[in-house]
Amino acid sequence: LAMTNLATAAIVGIYVKGQAEGGVVKLMKRLIFALVFNSLKVVAKGTVSKEQEKLKKKTTDMVLKHIEGERTTVLPAKGMEKNTLIERMKKASSREQIWRKGMVSGTVYHGGDDILDVIVEAFRAFAVSNPLHPDVFPEVRKME
């Protein structure tokens, strides 16, 4: 009896709403379209999410395939000693010298060690600056 009452109420509700919105057939078409469209959105969202994850993994693998050893992905609670950090940077730099042999084109334009010394001093002089604030750092903006 409860199911019969529920079905009757649903049919009457659809009929009344359909009359108010231009006919029962038009209302049913809209309801079916909305049901199908929303179902497709759910399916598409799952498919898009899977494709995004695959692309993220592929990109990560491509970018990181040349990186060996330990990677730091979060800031440590306590920083390392200055000398340890400098030693690590020197070691890392020593592994990235293929460009000095002329084996890569268009990657690095090196003007020699004299120019490198000037670049290091320029960086030392202006490392703590921001060219986005020319009112505070007008000389940096001038060089920019």
Side-chain angles (χ1 to χ4, degrees):
L1 185 63
M3 292 301 285
T4 303
N5 289 343
L6 184 63
T8 303
I11 290 170
V12 170
I14 290 171
Y15 179 79
V16 170
K17 184 148 178 82
Q19 292 303 318
E21 296 191 22
V24 174
V25 173
K26 189 174 183 179
L27 174 66
M28 291 304 293
K29 284 180 182 178
R30 279 203 346 255
L31 288 174
I32 291 169
F33 176 79
L35 178 67
V36 169
F37 184 75
N38 287 331
S39 298
L40 290 175
K41 277 185 2 184
V42 169
V43 170
K45 184 177 181 183
T47 302
V48 169
S49 294
K50 287 177 189 173
E51 288 301 314
Q52 284 175 329
E53 284 303 313
K54 284 184 350 190
L55 184 59
K56 183 178 177 182
K57 182 181 179 351
K58 183 179 177 181
T59 303
T60 301
D61 291 346
M62 182 182 69
V63 170
L64 300 179
K65 73 180 178 183
H66 300 292
I67 297 176
E68 297 174 5
E70 178 185 351
R71 281 184 43 236
T72 303
T73 57
V74 295
L75 290 175
K78 181 181 181 292
M80 66 179 66
E81 295 294 321
K82 176 183 171 182
N83 291 337
T84 304
L85 178 60
I86 291 171
E87 192 57 40
R88 277 193 180 185
M89 288 189 295
K90 286 180 180 179
K91 187 176 179 183
S93 176
S94 72
R95 291 190 302 258
E96 297 186 351
Q97 297 298 315
I98 190 171
W99 61 271
R100 287 190 183 272
K101 298 175 186 172
M103 305 298 287
V104 289
S105 174
T107 307
V108 175
Y109 298 99
H110 187 263
D113 288 336
D114 290 346
I115 300 293
L116 187 58
D117 291 340
V118 172
I119 292 169
V120 169
E121 287 306 317
F123 189 78
R124 183 185 312 279
F126 294 99
V128 182
S129 63
N130 187 340
L132 295 177
H133 294 280
D135 54 325
V136 181
F137 303 103
E139 297 301 316
V140 172
R141 178 55 69 93
K142 195 185 317 180
M143 287 186 286
E144 182 81 10

Coordinates of all heavy atoms in Angstrom, one line a residue, residues 28-110:
M28 N 9.6 15.6 -18.6 CA 10.3 14.3 -18.6 C 11.6 14.3 -19.5 O 12.6 13.7 -19.1 CB 9.3 13.1 -19.1 CG 8.2 12.9 -18.2 SD 8.7 12.4 -16.5 CE 9.5 10.9 -16.8
K29 N 11.5 15.0 -20.6 CA 12.7 15.1 -21.4 C 13.8 15.8 -20.7 O 15.0 15.4 -20.7 CB 12.4 15.8 -22.7 CG 11.7 15.0 -23.8 CD 11.4 15.8 -25.0 CE 10.6 15.0 -26.1 NZ 10.3 15.8 -27.2
R30 N 13.4 16.9 -20.0 CA 14.4 17.7 -19.2 C 15.0 16.8 -18.1 O 16.2 16.8 -17.8 CB 13.8 19.0 -18.7 CG 13.8 20.0 -19.7 CD 13.8 21.5 -19.2 NE 13.4 21.7 -17.9 CZ 12.2 22.1 -17.4 NH1 11.3 22.4 -18.3 NH2 12.0 22.3 -16.2
L31 N 14.1 16.1 -17.4 CA 14.6 15.3 -16.3 C 15.5 14.2 -16.8 O 16.6 13.9 -16.1 CB 13.4 14.7 -15.5 CG 12.6 15.6 -14.7 CD1 11.3 14.9 -14.1 CD2 13.4 16.2 -13.6
I32 N 15.2 13.5 -17.9 CA 16.0 12.4 -18.4 C 17.3 13.0 -18.9 O 18.4 12.5 -18.6 CB 15.3 11.7 -19.5 CG1 14.1 10.9 -18.9 CG2 16.2 10.8 -20.3 CD1 13.2 10.3 -19.9
F33 N 17.3 14.2 -19.6 CA 18.5 14.8 -20.0 C 19.4 15.1 -18.9 O 20.6 14.9 -18.9 CB 18.2 16.1 -20.8 CG 19.4 16.8 -21.3 CD1 20.2 16.4 -22.4 CD2 19.9 17.9 -20.6 CE1 21.3 17.1 -22.8 CE2 21.0 18.6 -20.9 CZ 21.8 18.2 -22.0
A34 N 18.8 15.7 -17.8 CA 19.6 16.1 -16.6 C 20.2 14.9 -16.0 O 21.4 14.9 -15.6 CB 18.7 16.8 -15.6
L35 N 19.5 13.8 -15.9 CA 20.0 12.5 -15.3 C 21.1 12.0 -16.1 O 22.2 11.6 -15.6 CB 18.8 11.5 -15.2 CG 19.2 10.1 -14.7 CD1 19.6 10.3 -13.2 CD2 18.1 9.1 -14.9
V36 N 21.0 11.9 -17.5 CA 22.0 11.4 -18.3 C 23.3 12.3 -18.3 O 24.4 11.9 -18.1 CB 21.5 11.3 -19.8 CG1 22.7 11.0 -20.7 CG2 20.5 10.2 -19.8
F37 N 23.0 13.6 -18.4 CA 24.1 14.6 -18.3 C 24.9 14.5 -17.0 O 26.1 14.5 -17.1 CB 23.6 16.0 -18.6 CG 24.6 17.1 -18.6 CD1 25.4 17.2 -19.8 CD2 24.9 17.9 -17.6 CE1 26.4 18.2 -19.9 CE2 25.9 18.9 -17.6 CZ 26.6 19.0 -18.8
N38 N 24.2 14.5 -15.9 CA 24.9 14.4 -14.6 C 25.6 13.1 -14.5 O 26.7 13.0 -13.9 CB 23.9 14.6 -13.5 CG 23.5 16.1 -13.4 OD1 24.3 16.9 -13.7 ND2 22.3 16.3 -12.9
S39 N 25.1 12.0 -15.0 CA 25.8 10.7 -15.0 C 27.1 10.8 -15.8 O 28.1 10.3 -15.4 CB 24.9 9.6 -15.5 OG 23.7 9.4 -14.7
L40 N 27.0 11.4 -17.0 CA 28.2 11.5 -17.8 C 29.2 12.4 -17.1 O 30.4 12.1 -17.3 CB 27.8 12.1 -19.2 CG 27.0 11.2 -20.1 CD1 26.6 11.9 -21.4 CD2 27.8 9.9 -20.4
K41 N 28.8 13.4 -16.4 CA 29.7 14.3 -15.7 C 30.5 13.5 -14.7 O 31.7 13.6 -14.5 CB 29.0 15.5 -15.0 CG 28.8 16.6 -15.9 CD 28.2 17.9 -15.3 CE 27.9 18.0 -13.9 NZ 27.3 19.2 -13.5
V42 N 29.8 12.6 -14.0 CA 30.5 11.8 -13.0 C 31.5 10.8 -13.6 O 32.6 10.7 -13.2 CB 29.4 11.0 -12.2 CG1 30.1 9.9 -11.3 CG2 28.6 11.9 -11.3
V43 N 31.1 10.2 -14.7 CA 32.0 9.3 -15.5 C 33.2 10.1 -16.0 O 34.3 9.7 -15.9 CB 31.2 8.6 -16.6 CG1 32.2 7.8 -17.5 CG2 30.2 7.6 -16.0
A44 N 32.9 11.2 -16.6 CA 33.9 12.1 -17.2 C 34.9 12.5 -16.2 O 36.1 12.6 -16.4 CB 33.3 13.2 -18.0
K45 N 34.4 12.9 -15.0 CA 35.2 13.4 -13.9 C 36.2 12.3 -13.5 O 37.4 12.6 -13.3 CB 34.4 13.9 -12.8 CG 35.3 14.5 -11.7 CD 34.4 15.0 -10.5 CE 35.3 15.7 -9.5 NZ 34.6 16.1 -8.3
G46 N 35.7 11.1 -13.4 CA 36.6 10.0 -13.0 C 37.7 9.8 -14.1 O 38.8 9.5 -13.8
T47 N 37.3 9.8 -15.4 CA 38.2 9.6 -16.5 C 39.2 10.7 -16.5 O 40.4 10.5 -16.7 CB 37.4 9.5 -17.8 OG1 36.4 8.5 -17.7 CG2 38.3 9.3 -19.0
V48 N 38.8 12.0 -16.4 CA 39.7 13.1 -16.4 C 40.7 13.0 -15.2 O 41.9 13.2 -15.4 CB 38.9 14.4 -16.3 CG1 39.9 15.6 -16.1 CG2 38.2 14.6 -17.6
S49 N 40.2 12.6 -14.0 CA 41.1 12.5 -12.9 C 42.1 11.4 -13.1 O 43.3 11.6 -12.8 CB 40.3 12.1 -11.6 OG 39.4 13.2 -11.3
K50 N 41.7 10.3 -13.7 CA 42.7 9.2 -14.0 C 43.7 9.7 -15.0 O 44.9 9.5 -14.8 CB 42.0 8.0 -14.5 CG 41.2 7.2 -13.5 CD 40.5 6.1 -14.2 CE 39.5 5.4 -13.2 NZ 38.7 4.4 -13.8
E51 N 43.3 10.4 -16.0 CA 44.2 10.9 -17.1 C 45.2 12.0 -16.5 O 46.3 12.0 -16.8 CB 43.5 11.5 -18.2 CG 42.8 10.5 -19.1 CD 43.8 9.5 -19.7 OE1 44.8 9.9 -20.2 OE2 43.5 8.3 -19.6
Q52 N 44.6 12.8 -15.6 CA 45.5 13.8 -14.9 C 46.6 13.1 -14.1 O 47.7 13.6 -14.1 CB 44.6 14.7 -14.0 CG 43.9 15.8 -14.8 CD 43.0 16.6 -13.9 OE1 42.5 16.1 -12.8 NE2 42.7 17.8 -14.2
E53 N 46.2 12.1 -13.4 CA 47.2 11.4 -12.5 C 48.2 10.7 -13.4 O 49.4 10.7 -13.1 CB 46.5 10.3 -11.7 CG 45.8 10.9 -10.5 CD 46.7 11.7 -9.6 OE1 47.8 11.3 -9.3 OE2 46.3 12.9 -9.2
K54 N 47.8 10.1 -14.6 CA 48.8 9.5 -15.5 C 49.7 10.5 -16.0 O 50.9 10.3 -16.1 CB 48.0 8.8 -16.6 CG 47.4 7.5 -16.2 CD 46.8 6.6 -17.2 CE 46.5 7.1 -18.6 NZ 45.7 6.2 -19.4
L55 N 49.2 11.7 -16.4 CA 50.0 12.8 -17.0 C 51.0 13.3 -15.9 O 52.2 13.6 -16.2 CB 49.1 13.9 -17.5 CG 49.9 15.0 -18.2 CD1 50.7 14.5 -19.4 CD2 48.9 16.1 -18.7
K56 N 50.5 13.4 -14.7 CA 51.4 13.9 -13.6 C 52.5 13.0 -13.3 O 53.7 13.4 -13.2 CB 50.5 14.1 -12.3 CG 51.3 14.6 -11.1 CD 50.3 14.8 -9.9 CE 51.1 15.3 -8.7 NZ 50.2 15.4 -7.6
K57 N 52.2 11.7 -13.3 CA 53.3 10.7 -13.1 C 54.3 10.7 -14.3 O 55.5 10.7 -14.1 CB 52.7 9.3 -13.0 CG 53.7 8.2 -12.7 CD 53.2 6.9 -12.5 CE 54.2 5.8 -12.3 NZ 55.6 6.0 -12.4
K58 N 53.7 10.7 -15.5 CA 54.6 10.8 -16.7 C 55.5 12.0 -16.7 O 56.7 11.9 -16.9 CB 53.8 10.8 -18.0 CG 54.5 10.7 -19.2 CD 53.6 10.7 -20.4 CE 54.4 10.7 -21.7 NZ 53.5 10.7 -22.9
T59 N 55.0 13.1 -16.3 CA 55.8 14.4 -16.3 C 56.8 14.3 -15.2 O 58.0 14.6 -15.4 CB 54.9 15.6 -16.1 OG1 53.9 15.6 -17.1 CG2 55.6 16.9 -16.0
T60 N 56.4 13.8 -14.0 CA 57.3 13.7 -12.9 C 58.5 12.7 -13.2 O 59.6 13.0 -13.0 CB 56.6 13.2 -11.6 OG1 55.6 14.1 -11.3 CG2 57.5 13.0 -10.4
D61 N 58.1 11.6 -13.8 CA 59.2 10.6 -14.2 C 60.1 11.2 -15.3 O 61.3 11.0 -15.2 CB 58.5 9.4 -14.8 CG 57.8 8.5 -13.8 OD1 58.0 8.8 -12.6 OD2 57.0 7.6 -14.1
M62 N 59.6 12.0 -16.2 CA 60.4 12.6 -17.2 C 61.4 13.6 -16.7 O 62.5 13.7 -17.0 CB 59.5 13.3 -18.3 CG 60.3 13.9 -19.5 SD 59.2 14.7 -20.7 CE 58.6 16.1 -19.7
V63 N 60.9 14.5 -15.8 CA 61.7 15.5 -15.2 C 62.7 15.0 -14.2 O 63.8 15.5 -14.2 CB 60.7 16.6 -14.5 CG1 61.6 17.5 -13.6 CG2 59.9 17.3 -15.5
L64 N 62.4 14.0 -13.5 CA 63.2 13.4 -12.4 C 64.1 12.3 -12.9 O 64.9 11.8 -12.1 CB 62.4 13.0 -11.2 CG 61.6 14.1 -10.6 CD1 60.8 13.6 -9.4 CD2 62.4 15.3 -10.1
K65 N 64.0 11.8 -14.1 CA 64.7 10.6 -14.5 C 66.2 10.8 -14.5 O 67.0 9.8 -14.3 CB 64.3 10.2 -15.9 CG 64.8 11.0 -17.1 CD 64.3 10.4 -18.4 CE 64.7 11.3 -19.5 NZ 64.2 10.8 -20.8
H66 N 66.7 12.0 -14.6 CA 68.2 12.2 -14.5 C 68.7 12.5 -13.1 O 69.9 12.6 -12.9 CB 68.6 13.4 -15.4 CG 68.2 13.2 -16.8 ND1 68.8 12.3 -17.6 CD2 67.3 13.8 -17.6 CE1 68.2 12.3 -18.9 NE2 67.3 13.2 -18.8
I67 N 67.8 12.6 -12.2 CA 68.2 12.9 -10.8 C 68.5 11.6 -10.0 O 67.7 10.7 -10.0 CB 67.1 13.7 -10.1 CG1 66.9 15.0 -10.8 CG2 67.5 13.9 -8.6 CD1 65.8 15.9 -10.2
E68 N 69.7 11.6 -9.5 CA 70.1 10.4 -8.7 C 70.2 10.7 -7.3 O 70.5 11.9 -6.9 CB 71.5 9.9 -9.2 CG 71.5 9.4 -10.7 CD 72.9 9.1 -11.2 OE1 73.8 9.1 -10.4 OE2 73.0 8.8 -12.4
G69 N 70.1 9.8 -6.4 CA 70.3 10.0 -5.0 C 69.1 10.6 -4.3 O 68.0 10.6 -4.8
E70 N 69.4 11.0 -3.1 CA 68.4 11.5 -2.2 C 67.8 12.9 -2.7 O 68.6 13.7 -3.2 CB 69.0 11.7 -0.8 CG 68.0 12.3 0.2 CD 68.7 12.6 1.5 OE1 69.9 12.2 1.7 OE2 68.1 13.2 2.4
R71 N 66.5 13.0 -2.7 CA 65.9 14.3 -3.0 C 65.2 14.9 -1.8 O 64.6 14.1 -1.0 CB 64.8 14.1 -4.1 CG 65.3 13.9 -5.4 CD 64.2 13.8 -6.5 NE 63.1 14.7 -6.3 CZ 61.8 14.4 -6.2 NH1 61.5 13.1 -6.2 NH2 60.9 15.2 -6.0
T72 N 65.3 16.2 -1.6 CA 64.7 16.8 -0.4 C 63.4 17.4 -0.9 O 63.3 18.2 -1.9 CB 65.6 17.9 0.1 OG1 66.8 17.4 0.5 CG2 64.9 18.6 1.3
T73 N 62.3 16.9 -0.4 CA 60.9 17.4 -0.9 C 60.2 18.3 0.2 O 59.2 18.9 -0.2 CB 60.0 16.2 -1.2 OG1 59.9 15.4 0.0 CG2 60.6 15.4 -2.3
V74 N 60.8 18.3 1.4 CA 60.2 19.2 2.4 C 61.4 19.9 3.1 O 62.4 19.3 3.2 CB 59.3 18.5 3.4 CG1 58.1 17.9 2.7 CG2 60.0 17.4 4.1
L75 N 61.1 21.1 3.7 CA 62.1 21.7 4.4 C 62.3 21.0 5.8 O 61.4 20.6 6.4 CB 61.7 23.2 4.8 CG 61.7 24.1 3.6 CD1 61.1 25.5 4.0 CD2 63.1 24.3 3.0
P76 N 63.6 20.7 6.1 CA 63.8 20.0 7.3 C 63.6 20.9 8.5 O 63.6 22.2 8.4 CB 65.3 19.7 7.3 CG 65.9 20.7 6.3 CD 64.8 21.1 5.4
A77 N 63.3 20.3 9.7 CA 63.1 21.1 10.9 C 64.3 21.9 11.3 O 64.2 23.0 11.8 CB 62.7 20.1 12.0
K78 N 65.5 21.3 11.0 CA 66.7 22.0 11.4 C 67.6 22.0 10.1 O 67.8 20.9 9.5 CB 67.5 21.2 12.5 CG 68.8 21.9 12.9 CD 69.4 21.1 14.0 CE 70.7 21.7 14.5 NZ 71.8 21.7 13.6
G79 N 68.1 23.1 9.8 CA 69.0 23.2 8.6 C 70.3 22.6 8.8 O 70.8 22.4 9.9
M80 N 71.0 22.3 7.7 CA 72.4 21.7 7.8 C 73.4 22.8 8.0 O 73.2 24.0 7.7 CB 72.7 20.8 6.6 CG 72.8 21.5 5.3 SD 73.2 20.4 3.9 CE 71.7 19.4 3.8
E81 N 74.6 22.4 8.4 CA 75.7 23.3 8.6 C 76.1 23.9 7.3 O 76.0 23.2 6.3 CB 76.9 22.6 9.3 CG 76.6 22.1 10.7 CD 76.4 23.2 11.7 OE1 77.1 24.2 11.6 OE2 75.5 23.0 12.5
K82 N 76.6 25.1 7.3 CA 77.0 25.8 6.1 C 78.0 25.0 5.3 O 77.9 24.9 4.1 CB 77.6 27.2 6.5 CG 78.1 28.0 5.4 CD 78.7 29.3 5.9 CE 79.5 30.0 4.8 NZ 80.1 31.3 5.3
N83 N 79.0 24.5 6.0 CA 80.1 23.8 5.3 C 79.6 22.5 4.6 O 80.0 22.2 3.5 CB 81.3 23.5 6.2 CG 82.0 24.7 6.7 OD1 82.0 25.7 6.0 ND2 82.7 24.6 7.8
T84 N 78.6 21.9 5.3 CA 78.0 20.7 4.7 C 77.2 21.0 3.5 O 77.3 20.3 2.4 CB 77.1 20.0 5.8 OG1 77.9 19.7 6.9 CG2 76.5 18.7 5.2
L85 N 76.5 22.1 3.5 CA 75.7 22.5 2.4 C 76.6 22.9 1.2 O 76.3 22.5 0.1 CB 74.8 23.7 2.8 CG 73.9 24.3 1.7 CD1 73.0 23.3 1.1 CD2 73.2 25.5 2.2
I86 N 77.6 23.7 1.5 CA 78.5 24.1 0.4 C 79.2 22.9 -0.2 O 79.3 22.8 -1.4 CB 79.6 25.1 1.0 CG1 78.9 26.4 1.3 CG2 80.7 25.3 0.0 CD1 79.7 27.4 2.0
E87 N 79.6 21.9 0.6 CA 80.2 20.7 0.1 C 79.2 19.9 -0.8 O 79.6 19.4 -1.9 CB 80.7 19.8 1.3 CG 81.6 18.7 0.8 CD 82.8 19.1 0.1 OE1 83.4 20.2 0.4 OE2 83.2 18.4 -0.9
R88 N 78.0 19.8 -0.4 CA 77.0 19.2 -1.2 C 76.8 19.9 -2.5 O 76.6 19.3 -3.6 CB 75.6 19.1 -0.5 CG 75.5 18.0 0.5 CD 74.1 17.8 0.9 NE 73.9 16.7 1.8 CZ 72.8 16.3 2.3 NH1 71.7 16.9 1.9 NH2 72.7 15.3 3.1
M89 N 76.7 21.2 -2.5 CA 76.6 22.0 -3.7 C 77.7 21.8 -4.7 O 77.6 21.6 -5.9 CB 76.3 23.5 -3.4 CG 75.0 23.8 -2.8 SD 74.6 25.5 -2.7 CE 75.8 26.1 -1.6
K90 N 79.0 21.8 -4.1 CA 80.2 21.5 -5.0 C 80.1 20.2 -5.6 O 80.4 20.0 -6.8 CB 81.4 21.7 -4.1 CG 81.8 23.2 -3.8 CD 83.0 23.3 -3.0 CE 83.4 24.7 -2.7 NZ 84.6 24.9 -1.9
K91 N 79.7 19.2 -4.8 CA 79.6 17.8 -5.3 C 78.6 17.7 -6.4 O 78.8 17.1 -7.5 CB 79.3 16.9 -4.2 CG 79.3 15.4 -4.5 CD 79.1 14.5 -3.3 CE 79.1 13.1 -3.7 NZ 78.8 12.2 -2.5
A92 N 77.4 18.3 -6.2 CA 76.4 18.3 -7.2 C 76.9 19.0 -8.5 O 76.6 18.6 -9.6 CB 75.1 19.0 -6.7
S93 N 77.5 20.2 -8.3 CA 78.0 20.9 -9.5 C 79.1 20.1 -10.3 O 79.1 20.2 -11.5 CB 78.6 22.2 -9.0 OG 79.2 22.9 -10.1
S94 N 79.9 19.4 -9.6 CA 80.9 18.6 -10.2 C 80.3 17.5 -11.1 O 80.9 17.1 -12.1 CB 81.9 18.0 -9.2 OG 81.2 16.9 -8.5
R95 N 79.1 17.1 -10.8 CA 78.4 16.1 -11.7 C 77.8 16.7 -12.9 O 77.3 16.0 -13.7 CB 77.4 15.3 -10.8 CG 78.0 14.4 -9.8 CD 77.0 13.5 -9.1 NE 75.9 14.2 -8.5 CZ 75.7 14.4 -7.2 NH1 76.6 14.0 -6.4 NH2 74.7 15.0 -6.8
E96 N 77.7 18.0 -13.0 CA 77.0 18.7 -14.1 C 78.0 19.5 -14.9 O 77.8 20.7 -15.1 CB 76.0 19.6 -13.5 CG 74.9 18.8 -12.8 CD 73.7 19.7 -12.3 OE1 73.8 20.9 -12.4 OE2 72.7 19.1 -11.9
Q97 N 79.0 18.8 -15.4 CA 80.1 19.5 -16.2 C 80.1 19.1 -17.6 O 81.0 19.5 -18.4 CB 81.4 19.2 -15.5 CG 81.6 19.8 -14.1 CD 81.4 21.3 -14.1 OE1 82.0 22.0 -14.9 NE2 80.6 21.8 -13.1
I98 N 79.2 18.3 -18.1 CA 79.2 17.9 -19.5 C 79.2 19.1 -20.5 O 79.8 19.0 -21.5 CB 78.0 16.9 -19.8 CG1 78.2 16.3 -21.2 CG2 76.7 17.6 -19.7 CD1 77.2 15.2 -21.5
W99 N 78.6 20.2 -20.1 CA 78.5 21.3 -21.0 C 79.9 21.9 -21.2 O 80.2 22.5 -22.3 CB 77.6 22.4 -20.4 CG 78.0 22.9 -19.0 CD1 77.7 22.4 -17.8 CD2 78.9 24.0 -18.8 NE1 78.3 23.1 -16.8 CE2 79.0 24.1 -17.4 CE3 79.6 24.9 -19.6 CZ2 79.8 25.1 -16.8 CZ3 80.3 25.9 -19.0 CH2 80.4 26.0 -17.6
R100 N 80.9 21.7 -20.3 CA 82.2 22.2 -20.5 C 83.0 21.5 -21.6 O 83.9 22.1 -22.2 CB 83.0 22.1 -19.2 CG 82.6 23.1 -18.1 CD 83.6 23.1 -16.9 NE 83.2 23.9 -15.9 CZ 83.5 25.2 -15.8 NH1 84.3 25.8 -16.7 NH2 83.1 25.9 -14.8
K101 N 82.5 20.3 -21.9 CA 83.2 19.5 -23.0 C 82.6 19.9 -24.4 O 83.0 19.3 -25.4 CB 82.9 18.0 -22.7 CG 83.6 17.6 -21.4 CD 83.2 16.1 -21.2 CE 83.7 15.7 -19.8 NZ 83.2 14.3 -19.5
G102 N 81.6 20.8 -24.4 CA 81.0 21.2 -25.6 C 80.1 20.2 -26.2 O 79.8 20.2 -27.4
M103 N 79.5 19.4 -25.4 CA 78.6 18.3 -25.8 C 77.2 18.7 -25.9 O 76.4 17.9 -26.4 CB 78.8 17.1 -24.8 CG 80.2 16.6 -24.6 SD 80.9 16.0 -26.1 CE 80.1 14.5 -26.3
V104 N 76.8 19.9 -25.6 CA 75.4 20.3 -25.6 C 75.4 21.7 -26.4 O 76.2 22.5 -26.2 CB 74.8 20.4 -24.2 CG1 74.6 19.1 -23.6 CG2 75.6 21.3 -23.3
S105 N 74.4 21.8 -27.1 CA 74.2 23.1 -27.9 C 73.0 23.9 -27.4 O 72.0 23.4 -27.2 CB 74.0 22.7 -29.4 OG 73.8 23.9 -30.1
G106 N 73.3 25.2 -27.2 CA 72.2 26.1 -26.8 C 71.8 25.9 -25.4 O 70.8 26.5 -25.0
T107 N 72.5 25.2 -24.5 CA 72.1 25.0 -23.2 C 72.7 26.1 -22.3 O 72.1 26.7 -21.4 CB 72.6 23.6 -22.7 OG1 72.1 22.7 -23.6 CG2 72.0 23.4 -21.3
V108 N 74.0 26.3 -22.4 CA 74.8 27.3 -21.6 C 75.6 28.1 -22.5 O 76.3 27.6 -23.4 CB 75.7 26.5 -20.6 CG1 76.5 27.5 -19.8 CG2 74.8 25.7 -19.7
Y109 N 75.6 29.4 -22.3 CA 76.5 30.3 -23.0 C 77.5 30.8 -22.0 O 77.3 31.7 -21.2 CB 75.8 31.5 -23.6 CG 74.8 30.9 -24.7 CD1 73.4 30.8 -24.4 CD2 75.2 30.5 -25.9 CE1 72.6 30.3 -25.3 CE2 74.4 30.0 -26.9 CZ 73.0 29.9 -26.5 OH 72.2 29.4 -27.5
H110 N 78.7 30.2 -22.0 CA 79.7 30.5 -21.0 C 80.8 31.4 -21.6 O 81.4 31.0 -22.6 CB 80.3 29.2 -20.5 CG 81.3 29.3 -19.3 ND1 82.6 29.4 -19.5 CD2 81.0 29.5 -18.0 CE1 83.2 29.6 -18.3 NE2 82.2 29.6 -17.4

